Amino acid sequence: MKNKVALITGATSGIGRATAYEFAKHGIKLILCGRRQERLDTIKDALSKQTEIHTLNFDVRDKEAVFSAIEGLPEAFKQIDILINNAGNAHGLDPIETGNIDDWDAMLDINVKGLLYVSKAIIPQMTARQSGQIINIGSSAGKEVYPKGNVYCASKHAVVAVTEGMRIDLNPYGIKVGSVNPGLVETEFSQVRFKGEAVADGVYKGYKALQAEDVADVIYFAVSRPPHVNIADVLMFCTAQATATIVKKDI
Ligand code: NDP
Ligand code: 8X3
């Protein structure tokens, strides 16, 4: 894996950050993206002994910023072998009749359109080289709709559909495309979903949720397979979770 270059969106927290740490262990060169520059700097400092790191600060909703950041990459990072489309969040957990339109916009603009913008900026170099790998971080919410999940679930169903579409369209170029779809993962996700309200603290209580590192392990497994193997679609839960609504809790 040494000398490969991976670009990870949403690398400042949770699954993206854990993936950066996992990739760094294996000497993969990293382009780490997010909006919080201080965090990008801290992660760069922490991992620079293990591998070369470049950081990019952009909001995935801003297509001009996305394209100019990727076009402006220094020579050593210009060839991207692995794209991890991870940036995203849930915003709110409300029934459809009272859902907040700004939350809907955020989820569709970030989780779906942002993923498309970043992909569009990178795919042409992969098709030109006839190689590359794209892993989209979907969710169990992309496989199953749950009460009040409505638009978040729609955004993640879209990620699953876009992943399948990419795999079909990029098949002639030998590009690997797959998705990793976790259930409950203990990250900042619920703080964002519930806008810092106290309810967020209870989401991971009473059971052992997946940790970001568990998902990063699977992502690394997918990128470290031999050339003829593509991990197309992974659904992963913590042991306590059976479906979106069935979670065995000790409280
Ligand atoms: P975190 O909130 O911990 O991390 C989200 C990451 O996305 C941050 O690095 C954040 O960076 C980045 N991000 C959010 N909005 C934007 C934006 N507009 N532009 C650029 N970057 C953005 O959550 P997770 O690690 O849990 O989530 C990562 C992915 O995993 C998401 O796609 C999420 O839907 C998915 N997922 C999460 C699950 C969970 O239970 N936690 C389960 C299944 C899937 P910054 O704020 O610095 O820009
Ligand atoms: C995050 C998992 O169950 O909150 O995608 O939708 S869930």
Side-chain angles (χ1 to χ4, degrees):
M1 298 305 297
K2 267 199 187 309
N3 297 323
K4 293 237 181 206
V5 174
L7 183 144
I8 304 173
T9 66
T12 57
S13 173
I15 295 168
R17 180 170 55 193
T19 303
Y21 274 72
E22 185 59 33
F23 281 14
K25 277 189 218 162
H26 300 276
I28 299 174
K29 295 202 302 194
L30 295 172
I31 303 164
L32 304 180
C33 311
R35 293 166 300 175
R36 288 170 286 181
Q37 187 62 44
E38 272 179 26
R39 288 201 181 192
L40 290 171
D41 293 341
T42 305
I43 299 164
K44 182 176 178 180
D45 284 349
L47 300 182
S48 284
K49 285 199 187 89
Q50 292 169 281
T51 188
E52 288 172 54
I53 315 263
H54 187 79
T55 65
L56 291 179
N57 184 328
F58 58 80
D59 187 323
V60 295
R61 286 173 287 199
D62 181 344
K63 59 179 145 205
E64 276 157 27
V66 168
F67 280 89
S68 90
I70 290 166
E71 274 161 25
L73 280 167
E75 211 47 51
F77 290 91
K78 264 200 182 331
Q79 179 177 316
I80 297 165
D81 303 293
I82 299 164
L83 165 59
I84 310 294
N85 273 317
N86 164 75
N89 277 115
H91 294 261
L93 182 72
D94 300 295
I96 197 76
E97 66 276 17
T98 55
N100 178 313
I101 286 185
D102 292 337
D103 286 344
W104 296 353
D105 283 343
M107 290 186 279
L108 296 171
D109 288 348
I110 298 168
N111 302 357
V112 185
K113 290 167 70 182
L115 180 152
L116 288 169
Y117 298 157
V118 174
S119 303
K120 177 82 176 158
I122 293 172
I123 285 172
Q125 55 157 283
M126 291 185 171
T127 55
R129 291 196 308 273
Q130 307 224 355
S131 76
Q133 181 164 11
I134 300 171
I135 297 183
N136 296 326
I137 306 306
S139 168
S140 55
K143 310 274 186 181
E144 181 193 1
V145 179
Y146 53 83
K148 303 182 188 174
N150 45 66
V151 178
Y152 178 66
C153 295
S155 77
K156 291 300 184 176
H157 275 68
V159 171
V160 170
V162 166
T163 304
E164 290 176 11
M166 284 181 174
R167 190 162 55 246
I168 294 165
D169 295 343
L170 298 178
N171 171 271
Y173 302 96
I175 295 169
K176 297 186 189 189
V177 182
S179 64
V180 174
N181 301 286
L184 292 152
V185 190
E186 189 171 0
T187 62
E188 291 173 10
F189 178 86
S190 290
Q191 293 297 333
V192 176
R193 169 169 251 175
F194 296 108
K195 305 169 173 90
E197 287 169 17
V199 62
D201 300 330
V203 174
Y204 310 111
K205 290 244 166 81
Y207 68 103
K208 176 81 173 174
L210 287 174
Q211 303 299 297
E213 292 73 18
D214 300 322
V215 185
D217 280 348
V218 171
I219 296 170
Y220 180 71
F221 178 81
V223 304
S224 57
R225 292 311 84 209
H228 68 290
V229 179
N230 178 36
I231 304 298
D233 188 354
V234 176
L235 173 64
M236 62 186 292
F237 286 124
C238 65
T239 307
Q241 182 171 19
T243 70
T245 52
I246 301 175
V247 182
K248 182 175 176 294
K249 296 191 180 182
D250 297 329
I251 45 170

